Amino acid sequence: RDQTSPSRIDFDSVFELEPLREYTEIVSAHEIAELYRRKQQWNVLASPVPKSRLKAALEMMPLPCCPGKKIRLSSHSRAQKILASFQESPLRDATFVILSPLFLIENEKRLLLEAAKFRIRSKRIRDIVQHINDTLFTGRRVLAVHIRRESTDLGCDDARRYIVCPDIKNRGVSTQQILKAILAAAKSSDADLVYLAHAGNGPPELVNERHFLVNALKQDSFLDDVFSLSQMNELSSFLWDSNFHNQQNDENLAPFDISLIEQEICSTAHAFLPSARSTWSATVTFDREANSKRVFRPMDASIP
């Protein structure tokens, strides 16, 4: 489901089905819902996702109500500990289990990298990104940057600074620090231009951050140009102005499509600079590592 609206989106308009079928059996959300309705005892294994967030995730699938029970595991639990949890009550007798870890357990990254090779965005998304590549990037080396801002303190940590933390003064990352990190990565990767994927709603003082960064980067002499199409009106206007709709069937974009298009841009760019504590950045990182493409450390990893 597109979280920005009540409408449902066909899976094959997001990802290609055939490559996934080569990797694993595909089960639809409706089939999962039917299993849920016929469930006996079941539990949710989570680390450390709050019950309210699990409830919201289940309802999006859509599965009614909320988890019956919740088994907590400490962060970065080792496989042996998870296995032991399934050998004890109540998980031992469960017939319907949702595994929802927040962090990777050992050996899981290898499996996810293998799976990432089969997770290919739909042709309609790839066609739009190819048009952007041909029209805007024109074969130049692109550094794609993802900046994830948040208005809540879920991503804050007293020990380190993170871009997702809105407490800029004490635990967050300033716009100037981000600008410095982008310029350093652009020079290191010998990029000709920067694409800025800017998402989320940070504190009020950062409402114009994206525009500031675009303008500041454009002033740097070693870059050819800077682009950002992170708003629906910008992307739609670009596609119309660049005659994409005259070359293809009419494309009715949903807000959800912006995320998919920008992920594909970031996944296929010359180099990628991610944000830490962002599942969006992590998805792109898996895409790139699975295909041996350059990924920088998260830009907030080196900020004291």
Side-chain angles (χ1 to χ4, degrees):
R1 175 183 287 181
D2 180 356
Q3 295 187 36
T4 61
S5 72
S7 62
R8 299 192 183 282
I9 298 172
D10 290 336
F11 185 88
D12 57 5
S13 70
V14 179
F15 294 108
E16 296 287 346
L17 282 170
E18 291 310 312
L20 284 174
R21 285 196 176 102
E22 293 179 19
Y23 180 72
T24 187
E25 179 183 358
I26 295 177
V27 180
S28 71
H30 294 295
E31 291 173 298
I32 294 175
E34 180 59 28
L35 286 172
Y36 183 96
R37 281 188 287 269
R38 293 190 286 108
K39 71 183 184 300
Q40 298 174 27
Q41 181 182 358
W42 75 286
N43 294 273
V44 172
L45 179 65
S47 170
V49 182
K51 194 169 182 176
S52 59
R53 292 178 62 185
L54 285 170
K55 177 179 181 294
L58 289 170
E59 289 175 344
M60 288 291 293
M61 290 184 65
L63 298 177
C65 192
C66 49
K69 290 186 179 180
K70 181 171 182 291
I71 309 300
R72 290 192 66 89
L73 290 178
S74 60
S75 300
H76 303 286
S77 294
R78 301 186 70 82
Q80 199 62 36
K81 182 174 181 179
I82 293 178
L83 178 61
S85 297
F86 278 89
Q87 294 173 338
E88 301 171 355
S89 181
L91 283 176
R92 180 183 57 205
D93 304 316
T95 57
F96 190 96
V97 175
I98 295 179
L99 182 62
S100 179
L102 187 61
F103 300 99
L104 298 182
I105 57 177
E106 80 233 48
N107 297 325
E108 191 177 26
K109 182 174 182 178
R110 176 183 59 80
L111 295 174
L112 289 174
L113 284 174
E114 179 184 352
K117 296 177 182 179
F118 297 86
R119 189 190 65 240
I120 300 172
R121 290 173 191 86
S122 66
K123 185 177 184 302
R124 75 183 186 94
I125 297 299
R126 301 198 315 274
D127 284 347
I128 292 174
V129 173
Q130 185 61 56
H131 179 75
I132 292 171
N133 285 334
D134 295 341
T135 308
L136 288 184
F137 303 158
T138 59
R140 291 173 290 179
R141 293 182 295 273
V142 178
L143 169 68
V145 180
H146 177 233
I147 298 171
R148 178 67 189 182
R149 290 294 194 184
E150 290 284 358
S151 58
T152 69
D153 62 359
L154 288 174
C156 295
D157 190 320
D158 291 336
R160 280 188 54 186
R161 290 182 174 271
Y162 289 103
I163 291 173
V164 295
C165 182
D167 182 7
I168 305 300
K169 181 178 180 181
N170 299 305
R171 297 179 292 174
V173 177
S174 71
T175 303
Q176 289 295 337
Q177 288 172 312
I178 290 175
L179 176 62
K180 183 178 178 180
I182 294 173
L183 289 171
K187 290 179 180 178
S188 175
S189 60
D190 197 25
D192 299 313
L193 57 86
V194 167
Y195 183 86
L196 190 62
H198 193 289
N201 299 307
E205 62 267 27
L206 297 181
V207 65
N208 294 316
E209 179 179 63
R210 184 171 67 99
H211 296 294
F212 171 84
L213 287 171
V214 169
N215 291 331
L217 289 166
K218 283 184 175 181
Q219 294 174 15
D220 206 284
S221 58
F222 78 88
L223 289 172
D224 290 351
D225 214 333
V226 183
F227 298 105
S228 180
L229 299 172
S230 295
Q231 298 296 319
M232 172 65 80
N233 62 324
E234 295 170 341
L235 180 58
S236 296
S237 295
F238 165 75
L239 292 177
W240 280 109
D241 294 344
S242 59
N243 295 317
F244 176 79
H245 292 278
N246 291 338
Q247 303 167 26
Q248 310 282 338
N249 293 327
D250 285 344
E251 182 70 40
N252 295 318
L253 293 177
F256 186 68
D257 290 323
I258 297 177
S259 178
L260 292 171
I261 291 166
E262 291 201 310
Q263 275 196 339
E264 184 69 9
I265 290 173
C266 292
S267 294
T268 56
H270 172 67
F272 176 56
L273 181 62
S275 289
R277 296 199 166 186
S278 164
T279 54
W280 197 101
S281 274
T283 298
V284 172
T285 297
F286 276 121
D287 286 345
R288 296 184 64 86
E289 289 184 353
N291 293 284
S292 303
K293 292 181 177 291
R294 183 171 185 179
V295 180
F296 285 94
R297 293 177 62 202
M299 67 185 89
D300 32 9
S302 59
I303 296 175

